Amino acid sequence: MSTTSFYDERRKDKVADRAEDRLDREADREADRKERAERAEEERKERAARAEEVRKERDAERRKAERRRAERKAAFAALRAKVEADTVGAVIVMACGIVPALYFQLYALNGQGLPAVISLCLAVMLEAGAWVATVSGERAKREGRPVGRFRAVMWACASFAALVNFTHAPPSPGGWLAWVLAVASFAGVFFWEVRGWGRAKASRSARTKAQRQEARRRRRHDRRRRRRFPKVHSRYMDILTAHPFGTIDNEKAWETAWRDEHGAELNTTARVVARRGYAGRALAAAHGVGVETLAVEQLLTDLFPPDGGDDGPAARRPRGGPNGGPNKGGRGVKTLGRKGKRATGRTSPKTPDKPLEAAHIAQVRALADILGGAAHLSVKNVRQAIGGGNFRYAMKLRDHVQAERKNR
């Protein structure tokens, strides 16, 4: 190997070493950079985690504060709902009335030479007694119990205290101070009563307009019943009182009372039944038949309606114009004389009359026997007896049976 090639090799080795050193340094720098980046990322995550914890703590504190504010507002609203403005005003008026009334009662009692303790006890007894009765009456009203006795005690105590103040008030021009002290004893209970008037009005107005109208109509209806049927109403009250409260319906009790007094269904009395009989006789006389005949005809009408029967619907008068002929008053035949055959809208004067059936003749004979003679037969009741049919056919049946009975 020559000297030149040796140095060339050495130079190449140095170049390679420097390149390796450079690569090593770059690798080290890259590793440091990655390590720093990882540390920075971990620090960032730690800061983010700490910030999230702080944020959650702040949110929790804020929610707690909001909850406390909401609780305070709810408590205040509940207190405000319990302590209304009129109640507060009534309490203030009561306090302003009690203080001067109590002072002048002590003044009056001490003026009689009583010990101070005795005077204080008597004065407090008068004022406190009225308020004990007032509070007890308010509780009884809330519980739905009678309050009359409590109000009587309340006004009696207030009246006695007012009398003491009025008769033992210090002298004043015209005696106006005595009246002021008497009013002071009444002021508290009076304005508490005024507060109660507002409560009663509010409870009444809680019902809808329709409910109030319905209640008024019911009261008016009950008054009319009581005035119009006093005996039935008395029995009605007996029934309601005898039964346990709420176990019997009022209208059911009224129906029972009506049956007990009149022996008939609701709205029926002996007078009504008598008038019905009189009306039936008058109707029979207007028809020119007996009551029994009219009853039989009505029975036949119920059993054989005019628009029913085997022969089809009954004949009816046309609304206008001729039907099968020029006569204006003619009857429009809806069915033919043959059983079960309906008219086709074409009538012919050449259509032969239907022969009388033996069964129909027997039915009309039986009808004549029921009516008391063939003279009471009419086309209407004959058609009802045979179940409808042609008008001329029913007329022939009537004439046939009348001729038979006449020839006997």
Side-chain angles (χ1 to χ4, degrees):
M1 177 182 296
S2 62
T3 305
T4 305
S5 59
F6 174 76
Y7 284 112
D8 291 337
E9 290 293 330
R10 289 286 304 272
R11 188 170 54 255
K12 290 179 181 178
D13 291 339
K14 290 180 180 180
V15 171
D17 291 339
R18 286 195 296 272
E20 289 178 1
D21 292 340
R22 186 170 61 255
L23 292 176
D24 292 338
R25 287 194 299 273
E26 290 178 357
D28 293 339
R29 285 195 297 272
E30 181 66 20
D32 292 340
R33 186 184 64 78
K34 289 182 178 179
E35 185 178 358
R36 287 195 300 272
E38 290 176 356
R39 286 200 301 269
E41 180 66 18
E42 289 178 359
E43 292 176 356
R44 186 188 64 77
K45 290 181 178 180
E46 290 177 0
R47 289 195 299 271
R50 287 196 297 271
E52 181 66 20
E53 290 179 0
V54 172
R55 186 185 65 79
K56 288 182 178 179
E57 291 177 358
R58 289 177 180 175
D59 290 344
E61 291 294 333
R62 185 175 65 255
R63 284 194 296 269
K64 288 181 182 179
E66 291 176 354
R67 186 167 57 253
R68 287 194 294 269
R69 284 197 298 271
E71 290 174 355
R72 288 195 297 270
K73 288 182 179 179
F76 180 74
L79 180 63
R80 186 174 57 185
K82 291 181 180 179
V83 183
E84 298 88 351
D86 55 354
T87 303
V88 174
V91 171
I92 294 174
V93 172
M94 290 163 58
C96 294
I98 288 173
V99 172
L102 189 61
Y103 173 79
F104 282 100
Q105 285 177 28
L106 288 172
Y107 174 81
L109 293 171
N110 287 330
Q112 302 300 320
L114 295 176
V117 175
I118 301 301
S119 300
L120 178 63
C121 291
L122 291 176
V124 170
M125 179 195 69
L126 291 176
E127 292 296 331
W131 300 117
V132 168
T134 302
V135 175
S136 300
E138 185 68 18
R139 182 180 295 109
K141 183 168 65 175
R142 287 199 304 268
E143 296 174 357
R145 294 184 285 113
V147 297
R149 66 188 72 177
F150 299 104
R151 288 179 173 172
V153 174
M154 176 185 70
W155 285 106
C157 292
S159 300
F160 191 79
L163 180 63
V164 171
N165 284 339
F166 182 79
T167 55
H168 295 80
S172 60
W176 62 269
L177 184 58
W179 289 103
V180 170
L181 295 179
V183 169
S185 296
F186 281 118
V189 293
F190 174 75
F191 283 103
W192 189 265
E193 286 286 280
V194 171
R195 169 190 172 274
W197 297 344
R199 295 293 188 278
K201 183 177 180 181
S203 63
R204 287 195 300 269
S205 63
R207 297 182 300 174
T208 63
K209 183 178 180 181
Q211 290 173 337
R212 294 195 298 271
Q213 290 177 349
E214 179 69 16
R216 284 197 298 270
R217 286 194 295 266
R218 285 184 179 275
R219 291 193 298 269
R220 198 177 304 121
H221 182 65
D222 188 68
R223 286 196 300 269
R224 285 197 296 266
R225 276 181 167 178
R226 186 171 59 251
R227 289 194 297 265
R228 185 67 181 84
F229 308 107
K231 294 182 179 179
V232 178
H233 193 273
S234 177
R235 176 58 184 158
Y236 162 73
M237 296 304 299
D238 291 342
I239 294 172
L240 290 181
T241 306
H243 284 78
F245 177 76
T247 59
I248 184 171
D249 182 68
N250 289 2
E251 296 304 323
K252 185 68 176 178
W254 181 262
E255 292 180 6
T256 304
W258 188 278
R259 284 195 299 270
D260 292 345
E261 287 296 324
H262 295 290
E265 295 300 321
L266 198 62
N267 198 34
T268 302
T269 63
R271 181 170 177 268
V272 171
V273 174
R275 289 182 64 85
R276 287 176 181 172
Y278 174 78
R281 291 192 296 272
L283 183 62
H287 281 279
V289 296
V291 177
E292 296 80 4
T293 303
L294 184 63
V296 171
E297 289 194 359
Q298 291 176 348
L299 176 62
L300 291 173
T301 302
D302 294 336
L303 295 176
F304 308 105
D307 291 335
D310 294 336
D311 288 339
R316 299 177 182 174
R317 291 188 179 275
R319 293 186 180 274
N323 186 5
N327 54 336
K328 296 180 180 180
R331 292 179 178 270
V333 181
K334 302 294 288 184
T335 62
L336 296 177
R338 290 182 297 277
K339 192 172 183 179
K341 302 293 185 179
R342 300 185 67 85
T344 61
R346 178 181 62 84
T347 59
S348 173
K350 296 180 180 180
T351 302
D353 291 335
K354 177 183 177 182
L356 301 180
E357 296 183 8
H360 290 167
I361 294 174
Q363 289 176 342
V364 177
R365 287 172 182 167
L367 177 61
D369 294 337
I370 293 173
L371 296 177
H376 297 296
L377 293 174
S378 65
V379 176
K380 178 181 178 181
N381 56 31
V382 169
R383 293 179 69 248
Q384 291 173 349
I386 65 175
N390 187 275
F391 183 83
R392 288 177 296 174
Y393 180 76
M395 185 183 298
K396 285 179 62 178
L397 277 173
R398 181 199 63 181
D399 296 341
H400 177 78
V401 175
Q402 286 180 346
E404 282 184 347
R405 297 297 174 92
K406 187 176 181 181
N407 292 333
R408 283 185 180 180

